[in-house]
């Protein structure tokens, strides 16, 4: 079955960095684009960044422009989200998903605070 497992979250001070990973299984990963979403307490889930099946970055949230970078390694069935210059407003649970597939991972918590 399809599984998406996010990891790499944690607590970091403002200005710090984290690298999230999304390990995929149960589908042909190399045939699908991938997206990262986030959901902060009391807010709707929002798109963070996206990448094509071939690794071309696509649409992203303006709030993360110049700070976050999405990538993927099709040989490892894994998508990544490099997050730099983190801000308190980046605090949220981060999820990955493949457009066209009705599956979500459990998410990974990112907390940015001093």
């Amino acid at each position: 079955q399809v599984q998406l497992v996010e990891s790499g979250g944690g607590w970091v001070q403002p200005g710090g960095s984290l690298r999230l990973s999304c390990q995929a299984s149960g589908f042909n990963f190399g045939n699908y684009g991938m997206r990262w979403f986030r959901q902060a307490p009391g807010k709707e889930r929002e798109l963070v960044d996206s990448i094509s099946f071939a690794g071309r970055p696509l649409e992203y949230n303006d709030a993360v422009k110049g700070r976050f970078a999405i990538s993927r390694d099709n040989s490892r069935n894994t998508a990544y989200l490099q997050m730099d210059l983190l801000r308190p407003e980046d605090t949220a649970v981060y999820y990955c998903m493949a457009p066209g597939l009705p599956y979500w991972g459990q998410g990974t918590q990112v907390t940015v605070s001093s």
Side-chain angles (χ1 to χ4, degrees):
Q1 71 277 22
V2 172
Q3 282 194 315
L4 297 164
V5 180
E6 301 93 340
S7 63
W11 173 83
V12 65
Q13 292 185 332
S17 298
L18 286 172
R19 188 194 195 202
L20 306 184
S21 297
C22 170
Q23 177 69 54
S25 61
F27 65 101
N28 195 336
F29 181 78
N31 285 354
Y32 287 83
M34 293 297 295
R35 293 176 179 169
W36 283 96
F37 284 77
R38 67 185 180 186
Q39 187 165 20
K43 295 188 176 181
E44 293 187 355
R45 193 169 297 190
E46 63 176 0
L47 176 69
V48 177
D49 215 335
S50 57
I51 192 167
S52 75
F53 68 93
R56 181 167 62 93
L58 300 174
E59 63 177 320
Y60 57 88
N61 190 321
D62 282 343
V64 307
K65 183 179 180 180
R67 301 187 299 121
F68 291 12
I70 191 170
S71 63
R72 65 189 296 157
D73 184 342
N74 287 349
S75 69
R76 296 178 182 272
N77 286 359
T78 303
Y80 303 98
L81 185 68
Q82 178 66 41
M83 306 188 296
D84 299 319
L85 300 174
L86 282 160
R87 304 168 180 170
E89 53 265 38
D90 295 319
T91 295
V93 179
Y94 284 70
Y95 302 89
C96 63
M97 63 90 69
L101 297 179
Y103 300 98
W104 293 86
Q106 83 291 344
T108 185
Q109 175 71 47
V110 172
T111 302
V112 186
S113 73
S114 54

